[in-house]
Amino acid sequence: MAEVLVLVERSDGVVRKATLELLTLARRLGDPAALVCGPADDAVMKALGEYGAGKVYVVDDPAIHEFLVAPKAEALVDVVRRTSPATVLVTAGREGTEVAARTAVRLDSGIITNAVEVAPGDGGPLVTQSVLSGGWITQSQVVRGTPIVTVLPNAVVPEALPVEPVVEHIEVQISDAARKSRIVQRTPKTGTGRPDLADASVVVSGGRGMGSAEAFGLLEQLADAMGGAVAASRAATDLGWYAHDFQIGQTGKTVAPQLYLASGISGAIQHRAGMQGSRTIVAINKDPKAPIFGITDFGVVGDAHAVLPALIDEVRRRKG
Ligand code: FAD
């Protein structure tokens, strides 16, 4: 079988869960291989091997660390030209999407973004997208060049399948054109102790219906009980109840967790644009006619201030 190349992403040096998901997906399409841009320590190799990467390509050029994404895209282009993978899988997100798009242009290949599923198909992978605020599901295939697909985090559950990876270090000539935007400073953000929104398999989100910033404490308690992340609608972030970093929607972040719980959120189209791909959607809203109920798997008509404490108690009780 041909290789399916996964671009590895790391957070604080640790391989992201989204990359392990791509390796799991790659196994369904061919032989999983991984590309590490930058230094690859033992922990990185161990994680990639544990999730089935039979081959690991390493491009450790200082330009990758020094400049914005262009050198990474050049590294990916180079490795694709050398190894001719059947498909390239990249995590959908700001960096991944830019790297994938640059790579597709350089290779003159087709690209499909924000996939929620990728399955083997005749003549290339069959890619499923959730589009138009979740109102439609489309299936598409790349018909030119090497299929490049960006996949939303949480599209699959990562499954370990340990192998001993064969490592190949590759020297890539990074062009001057790729060295035009230098990173001058990196400042780590203060963590919340909760999973990153993009990686979280549970997202508990609040809107204007929460009524106050303090009420977001209930959402934090529920998220902590479920090992999830907290998010908000734009109305709530505009009111200063939660930081803009956590806004979901057209002008915020896109998430596709296994479970998205929307509390006091009406379900405006701009909000839905950021969470429509979630596997299971639950809403708590006191208005039975709220549009959010049009896309929920489970809905609770009720006051969030009454429903959430009961839910938190029940989750804690069941978790022992
Ligand atoms: P509301 O629409 O006010 O809804 C509050 C809901 O809470 C209501 O359904 C109400 O019934 C319910 N409620 C009230 N009290 C309670 C209670 N005690 N218990 C339970 N339920 C209760 N929005 C985003 O979210 N993300 C975006 O990225 C985004 N981008 C936008 C871009 C543009 C260009 C524009 C024009 C708008 C954008 N918006 C975005 C705004 C969007 O149109 C909505 O205004 C916003 O999503 C509404 O937020 P909300 O659902 O929290 O508030």
Side-chain angles (χ1 to χ4, degrees):
M1 271 204 289
E3 282 180 2
V4 174
L5 185 62
V6 169
L7 179 65
V8 175
E9 284 200 12
R10 287 175 279 185
S11 176
D12 294 330
V14 177
V15 176
R16 280 185 62 190
K17 177 171 150 264
T19 295
L20 307 180
E21 292 165 9
L22 293 189
L23 287 171
T24 305
L25 203 52
R27 259 181 251 154
R28 300 175 192 168
L29 307 170
D31 291 332
L35 167 59
V36 179
C37 292
D41 59 21
D42 287 351
V44 168
M45 288 302 173
K46 188 164 175 271
L48 298 177
E50 202 174 328
Y51 283 82
K55 192 84 189 258
V56 179
Y57 303 101
V58 180
V59 177
D60 187 7
D61 190 297
I64 286 167
H65 189 70
E66 238 177 282
F67 297 90
L68 291 175
V69 296
K72 212 177 256 187
E74 283 198 352
L76 181 54
V77 167
D78 193 294
V79 172
V80 170
R81 284 195 176 131
R82 287 175 199 234
T83 63
S84 305
T87 302
V88 176
L89 298 178
V90 178
T91 300
R94 279 193 196 150
E95 178 172 307
T97 304
E98 188 175 342
V99 171
R102 284 171 178 267
T103 303
V105 170
R106 292 284 292 275
L107 294 172
D108 196 17
S109 288
I111 176 171
I112 303 176
T113 57
N114 292 343
V116 293
E117 207 175 303
V118 187
D122 285 339
L126 203 54
V127 181
T128 305
Q129 292 164 293
S130 168
V131 298
L132 298 175
S133 298
W136 289 79
I137 298 286
T138 60
Q139 286 195 320
S140 317
Q141 265 183 321
V142 167
V143 292
R144 180 184 175 118
T146 306
I148 297 180
V149 183
T150 74
V151 183
L152 286 168
N154 290 306
V156 292
V157 177
E159 286 161 21
L161 183 72
V163 295
E164 195 58 53
V166 175
V167 182
E168 191 177 327
H169 289 265
I170 295 182
E171 295 264 331
V172 172
Q173 288 300 320
I174 305 293
S175 72
D176 286 345
R179 299 168 190 264
K180 288 186 176 163
S181 306
R182 188 187 295 277
I183 298 167
V184 289
Q185 198 182 349
R186 286 185 166 86
T187 312
K189 276 196 192 166
T190 325
T192 59
R194 300 190 181 89
D196 193 71
L197 252 188
D199 287 338
S201 49
V202 174
V203 174
V204 176
S205 190
R208 201 196 310 262
M210 291 305 295
S212 67
E214 291 68 43
F216 270 74
L218 283 173
L219 300 175
E220 291 183 339
Q221 287 177 43
L222 181 59
D224 292 343
M226 299 177 87
V230 177
S233 72
R234 176 152 154 191
T237 58
D238 282 351
L239 283 160
W241 295 349
Y242 223 66
H244 276 287
D245 263 5
F246 299 95
Q247 181 192 311
I248 301 298
Q250 185 186 317
T251 45
K253 296 202 162 127
T254 300
V255 293
Q258 297 292 324
L259 171 65
Y260 187 88
L261 188 143
S263 179
I265 293 178
S266 59
I269 191 158
Q270 296 90 351
H271 186 80
R272 298 206 305 258
M275 42 69 75
Q276 66 196 11
S278 306
R279 279 292 151 109
T280 302
I281 299 173
V282 177
I284 303 168
N285 197 302
K286 66 179 188 186
D287 175 6
K289 294 204 174 81
I292 190 85
F293 287 130
I295 57 161
T296 49
D297 298 281
F298 302 101
V300 182
V301 178
D303 185 338
H305 301 97
V307 177
L308 284 172
L311 187 54
I312 293 163
D313 282 351
E314 187 60 22
V315 170
R316 285 182 181 153
R317 194 182 65 76
R318 288 195 188 201
K319 289 213 153 181

